[in-house]
Amino acid sequence: MNIVIAAVGGQGAVLTSKILGTLAQNLGKDVKVSEVHGMSQRGGSVVAYVKFGDKVYSPVVEKGTADIVLAFEMLEGARYVDYLKENGKLVVNTQKIDPMPVITGDVKYPSDLSEKIGELNIEYIPVDALSIAKNAGTIKAVNVALIGVLAKNSNIKKEEWIKAIKDTVPEKFLELNMKAFELGYNLE
C-alpha cells in the first residue's frame, strides 16, 4: 500500500503518517514512513509518504504509484493527484487555504479544482473535514476526521484504526480525536 499525505504546515500530516505507520505495524506489515517539510512552518506544503506491505525497500512513493492520496487542502490534493496510480483514491478536505502567491495577489486560487479532479480516472472523495473537526470540538482534528473517512473506505477493520489512533495520539487529545474519527467514519 502506497499512501501520500499532502498538507499545509500545521495541519497534522506528521501525526497522520505516524498513525498510518502504527496501523501498518499493528497489522504485522513492513512499513516505511518519510516526511518532507519544506517551508511548512510558514504555511508551505508538507508531504509524507507511508508505504507498507510484506517487504518495503524504500519509503518514497513515486508519481503514478500511490494507492491513496490523503490531502488536507484542495490545492494540495490537486498538486499531488498525479502520484495516484490509475483508479487510485483521492480523499481530500475541501478546505481552501490561500498560498503566498494568492495572498500577495499575484494569482487567484483556482475556482474549478473540484470539477477538474472529478474528471480524472480516480476514485474522488471530497470531504468537508474542517466542519467535521469543528463538530468534534477542535479544528486541529481535521487530520483524524480524514483518517475516519479513509478507514470507512478501506478494507481494514475499524478496530485496527482505533487501536492505531490510541497507540499514537497523546492521552490528553485522545477523546477529541476519537470523536473526529467517529464523525469522519460515519459520514454519509
Side-chain angles (χ1 to χ4, degrees), residues 78 81-82 84 90 115-124:
V81 73
D82 61 345
L84 283 172
L90 172 65
E115 293 80 17
K116 286 186 175 178
I117 291 171
E119 295 170 359
L120 301 174
N121 189 20
I122 60 171
E123 185 177 346
Y124 175 45

Side-chain angles (χ1 to χ4, degrees), residues 7-11 36-46 100:
V8 173
Q11 288 192 298
V36 179
H37 297 273
M39 296 294 287
S40 59
Q41 293 181 348
R42 295 185 179 185
S45 181
V46 177
M100 192 53 68

Side-chain angles (χ1 to χ4, degrees), residues 106-136:
D106 291 341
V107 295
K108 290 186 176 182
Y109 196 103
S111 60
D112 57 349
L113 282 178
S114 190
E115 293 80 17
K116 286 186 175 178
I117 291 171
E119 295 170 359
L120 301 174
N121 189 20
I122 60 171
E123 185 177 346
Y124 175 45
I125 304 172
V127 179
D128 183 0
L130 182 61
S131 292
I132 294 171
K134 285 179 181 174
N135 288 338

Side-chain angles (χ1 to χ4, degrees), residues 4-174:
V4 175
I5 301 164
V8 173
Q11 288 192 298
V14 173
L15 178 62
T16 302
S17 69
K18 288 178 182 174
I19 292 171
L20 294 176
T22 300
L23 172 73
Q25 281 183 322
N26 290 346
L27 294 171
K29 302 293 183 184
D30 187 24
V31 61
K32 301 264 187 299
V33 176
S34 176
E35 302 153 1
V36 179
H37 297 273
M39 296 294 287
S40 59
Q41 293 181 348
R42 295 185 179 185
S45 181
V46 177
V47 63
Y49 306 110
V50 179
K51 291 177 74 172
F52 61 91
D54 293 333
K55 185 67 185 163
V56 177
Y57 296 97
S58 167
V60 177
V61 177
E62 297 180 5
K63 288 183 179 180
T65 66
D67 299 286
I68 298 165
V69 170
L70 186 62
F72 295 9
E73 195 270 334
M74 282 299 296
L75 199 54
E76 294 303 317
R79 191 183 320 242
Y80 288 95
V81 73
D82 61 345
Y83 277 74
L84 283 172
K85 65 183 184 184
E86 189 172 315
N87 297 317
K89 188 178 300 187
L90 172 65
V91 179
V92 62
N93 179 15
T94 56
Q95 182 181 7
K96 296 176 180 173
I97 300 173
D98 290 343
M100 192 53 68
V102 173
I103 292 170
T104 60
D106 291 341
V107 295
K108 290 186 176 182
Y109 196 103
S111 60
D112 57 349
L113 282 178
S114 190
E115 293 80 17
K116 286 186 175 178
I117 291 171
E119 295 170 359
L120 301 174
N121 189 20
I122 60 171
E123 185 177 346
Y124 175 45
I125 304 172
V127 179
D128 183 0
L130 182 61
S131 292
I132 294 171
K134 285 179 181 174
N135 288 338
T138 176
I139 61 170
K140 293 181 178 179
V142 163
N143 56 344
V144 179
L146 286 169
I147 288 174
V149 174
L150 178 60
K152 182 71 173 191
N153 288 281
S154 78
N155 57 6
I156 299 171
K157 291 180 181 175
K158 181 181 177 183
E159 295 77 25
E160 296 291 345
W161 291 92
I162 291 171
K163 179 174 181 0
I165 293 168
K166 288 181 176 177
D167 288 349
T168 310
V169 173
E171 182 70 30
K172 63 182 177 181
F173 303 118
L174 192 55

